[in-house]
Amino acid sequence: MKLFKEVLKNNKKIIIFYILIGITINFLTLYSVTYYQKILDAFQYQRLTLTPLIIYGVLLIVSTILGYLENYPEQQVKNKLYLDFKLQALKKLKTIDYLEYQKLGTGKLTQKVEDGASSSRDILVNFYLKTIRYLLPTGLFSLIFIYQVKKELVLFIFLGYVIVIIVSNLILKRLYRLKENILDNQELLNKHLVRGFMELVVFRTNKKYDTEIKITEEGIKNIVNAKTKIKLVHEIFFTVFALIVNILKVVVLAYSVLNSNLSVGSIVTVLSLLGKAYEPIAIFNVEYVDYKLNKVTVNKYLEFLDLKDDQNLTTGKRIKQIEGAIEFKNVSYSYLKEKKLIENLSLKIKKNEKVALVGESGSGKSTIIKLIIGLIKNESGKILIDGNDLSKINLNDFYEYVTYISQESPIFDGTLRENLVLDKNISDKEIKEVLKLVSLEKFLNRLEKGLDTELGEKGIRMSGGERQRVALARLFFDSSKIIILDEATSALDNITEKTVMYNILNKLSNKTFIIIAHRLETIKEVDNIFVLSNGKIVEQGKYQELLKKNGYFKKLHTSKESH
C-alpha cells in the first residue's frame, strides 16, 4: 500500500529501533524465567551459588531499564506516524485536480483525514508492529523455553491453541459486528457535530439545532450501548481464554506429578511460560478485529488520496520569466459536459494592461479566472501566456508570477507584519507607507503592539474591509506579474475602495491586472472592460465608451446604481 510505504520509509530508523527494543525486552523477560528455574532447582538440591542469582538480577534490571527507554521510540512512532498520515492529506491537496476538490465537503474531508490518520496509525502500531515486536517473539520464545524443559508439553500447548482459536473466533464474530455498528454511529455522530460547529448562523436562525441535538443524542445512546456490549463480549472472551489456560495448567501440573520427572523449578517455569505462550493468540484475535474495522476507515481515506491529480502542476514546459500577456483563442468550457459556461471565447490582454470582467452572476467571469490560473482546463481552443500554451506550461512555475485575491481575503494566525510581508525582510517605514496606500494607517494606530500585534486565527479581530485591505497591501511586496482581484474590495465603502484601487493601479503599473469588480465605479480607470453574458463577450472598451454605447454595460451600470 503506497500510503504505508511512504510513511514507513520516512520513519524507518525509529521503527526498526522500536521493533528491536521490543524483541529484546521480551527475550530478556522470558529468559529470566529459565534462570529462576535454575535458582529454584539449585536451592532444592542445596547447590545454589551466587552466579545464577547475579545473572537473574542483571536480566531483570536490564529488562526494566529497557522497558523505560522503550517509551521514547513508542511515543515517537505513535505520534509521528499519526501526524505523517495527516500530512499525506495536505500533500494531496497540493496536487489534487480542482474539480475533484470541489466535490469534497470540508467537514467530511476533515473527519475523513482525522479518522484515516488515526486508523492507519493503529493498523501499523497496534496490529503489525505489535505482532512483530511483541506477539510473535513472546509466543516463539515461550515455546522454545518450554521445549527445553519438556518436549512433550509442546504438544499439549498446540492442542490448546486449537481450542482457543475455535472459541475465540465464535466470540470475536459478535465483537466485530458490535464494533462495526459503533463505527457507523460514530460517523453519523461526527457528521452532525461538524455540521453544527460549522453552520451556526444557518442552524440557529432556522431553529435546526434542536433536531441536530436529538439526532446526536440518539447516536450517543447507540454508541454507549454498543460499547457496553463490547466490554461484556471482551470480558467473556478473556474469561473463556483464562479458563482454558488454567485448565491446561492443571493438566500440565497433573502430567508432571504423575510422571514425577520434572523438578520444582521446571514445573514453575512451565506454568509461568504457559500463560505467555497463549497470550499472543488472545491479543492477536482482538487486534485483528480492530484491524479489519480500521481497514474500512483507511480505505475511505485512501479513496481521497487516490483522487485524480492535476498533472500540469509537475509536468510541462519550465518557465523562468513571465511578462503578463494573456490570450484566449476560441476557448470553450462546460461544467460536467452539461452546461456550457464559456463558448468560443476570444480575448487579448496585453502585458501590464489593466482589465475588468463584468457581467451578471453566471456570466462566466469566475470561470475565465479559473481557466487563466489553470484550476480548470479548457475543452477546446487555446489559452496563451506570453504566447505559450497554458496547457503545456508547468503550473508550479507559472504560479511564481501570479497572485489571486478573492473576496474572502485569507488572514492567517500571526502578526500584522507576518500577514503583510510573509517571510520577507521589509523595513517598518516601507510597510507603514504601504498601509497608508490601502487606508490602514488608522487601523495600525489602534493596535497595541503596532505591526507586531497578533491578528488571531482567520483575522478574527478585524472587520471584513480590514482583512481585504491587508490582502491588497501584500501586492506591494509581491513580485507577481499577473494579479487577479476577484471582488477583492467588496467589503470596502465607496470612498475607501476608490482610493485603494487608484493607488494599487497607479503604483503597480508594471503588472497585468484582471479585476472582477463588486461595484462598477471601481473600474473607471482600467484600460479595457470585457462585458460578459452567458459565457460570451457582448461588449468591450473603456468605461465612458461603454456608457455612451447605451448597451448591455449601461443596463448593468443602471442596475448596480439602483441597488
Side-chain angles (χ1 to χ4, degrees), residues 184-436:
D184 292 338
N185 276 290
Q186 279 179 333
E187 283 188 356
L188 181 66
L189 181 67
N190 288 329
K191 172 187 170 183
H192 287 279
L193 283 174
V194 171
R195 272 191 348 190
F197 294 154
M198 297 185 68
E199 304 296 341
L200 183 143
V201 177
V202 175
F203 279 23
R204 184 179 290 178
T205 54
N206 287 278
K207 298 182 178 179
K208 189 169 170 54
Y209 270 116
D210 288 339
T211 306
E212 293 294 298
I213 290 169
K214 188 176 180 181
I215 294 170
T216 304
E217 284 175 342
E218 187 63 30
I220 290 170
K221 182 182 175 183
N222 291 335
I223 290 170
V224 171
N225 288 339
K227 286 196 171 184
T228 303
K229 288 177 183 176
I230 278 181
K231 178 64 175 174
L232 294 174
V233 174
H234 261 288
E235 290 307 310
I236 289 172
F237 172 73
F238 284 109
T239 301
V240 171
F241 171 74
L243 281 171
I244 292 169
V245 172
N246 287 331
I247 290 167
L248 287 168
K249 283 184 178 180
V250 172
V251 171
V252 169
L253 191 60
Y255 171 82
S256 303
V257 172
L258 291 171
N259 280 273
S260 300
N261 59 351
L262 285 178
S263 65
V264 173
S266 297
I267 294 172
V268 171
T269 299
V270 170
L271 292 177
S272 300
L273 293 173
L274 200 61
K276 289 290 185 181
Y278 282 105
E279 184 183 278
I281 291 183
I283 295 173
F284 179 84
N285 275 295
V286 174
E287 294 296 347
Y288 185 68
V289 172
D290 287 333
Y291 162 78
K292 286 174 73 178
L293 289 168
N294 283 327
K295 202 171 179 182
V296 173
T297 307
V298 171
N299 285 338
K300 290 180 181 179
Y301 185 38
L302 289 174
E303 285 173 9
F304 158 65
L305 295 178
D306 289 336
L307 289 175
K308 180 184 173 186
D309 284 333
D310 188 340
Q311 299 302 321
N312 287 80
L313 287 165
T314 53
T315 61
K317 181 180 178 181
R318 306 301 303 267
I319 51 175
K320 295 182 179 180
Q321 187 61 46
I322 287 286
E323 295 296 326
I326 303 167
E327 183 177 1
F328 277 49
K329 285 187 174 182
N330 302 314
V331 172
S332 294
Y333 175 78
S334 58
Y335 182 68
L336 297 178
K337 311 294 181 185
E338 295 170 3
K339 184 183 177 184
K340 282 280 184 187
L341 299 180
I342 296 291
E343 190 169 4
N344 293 323
L345 181 72
S346 294
L347 63 83
K348 277 188 178 182
I349 302 171
K350 299 173 185 175
K351 73 171 185 176
N352 301 334
E353 191 175 19
K354 279 66 176 166
V355 305
L357 305 176
V358 302
E360 294 179 323
S361 178
S363 60
K365 306 185 297 293
S366 294
T367 302
I368 291 171
I369 296 302
K370 289 171 185 174
L371 285 165
I372 289 173
I373 56 182
L375 291 177
I376 57 178
K377 317 299 179 185
N378 48 301
E379 294 163 6
S380 60
K382 284 187 176 183
I383 301 172
L384 304 176
I385 307 295
D386 294 345
N388 296 303
D389 190 340
L390 180 62
S391 66
K392 297 176 181 176
I393 290 176
N394 183 298
L395 286 179
N396 277 326
D397 283 357
F398 178 53
Y399 292 152
E400 292 284 337
Y401 307 98
V402 179
T403 293
Y404 170 78
I405 300 179
S406 67
Q407 60 181 320
E408 285 80 15
S409 305
I411 301 294
F412 58 82
D413 194 358
T415 65
L416 175 59
R417 184 194 307 276
E418 289 169 331
N419 270 279
L420 289 167
V421 302
L422 304 179
D423 55 356
K424 299 182 183 75
N425 187 17
I426 309 292
S427 69
D428 287 9
K429 183 182 177 183
E430 290 177 86
I431 295 173
K432 288 175 182 178
E433 286 174 358
V434 167
L435 291 178
K436 286 182 182 178

Side-chain angles (χ1 to χ4, degrees), residues 86-138:
K86 290 186 81 169
L87 182 63
Q88 298 306 309
L90 196 59
K91 288 181 178 179
K92 180 64 184 180
L93 289 175
K94 181 183 175 183
T95 60
I96 192 172
D97 183 86
Y98 181 72
L99 292 179
E100 295 288 352
Y101 169 74
Q102 283 188 310
K103 298 173 190 175
L104 301 169
T106 306
K108 284 184 179 179
L109 176 59
T110 304
Q111 193 60 47
K112 192 174 285 189
V113 171
E114 186 69 33
D115 291 344
S118 60
S119 294
S120 297
R121 184 266 319 274
D122 289 344
I123 282 176
L124 277 180
V125 176
N126 295 340
F127 184 70
Y128 286 114
L129 292 183
K130 182 180 277 188
T131 300
I132 293 168
R133 66 185 297 275
Y134 176 71
L135 302 182
L136 284 176
T138 300

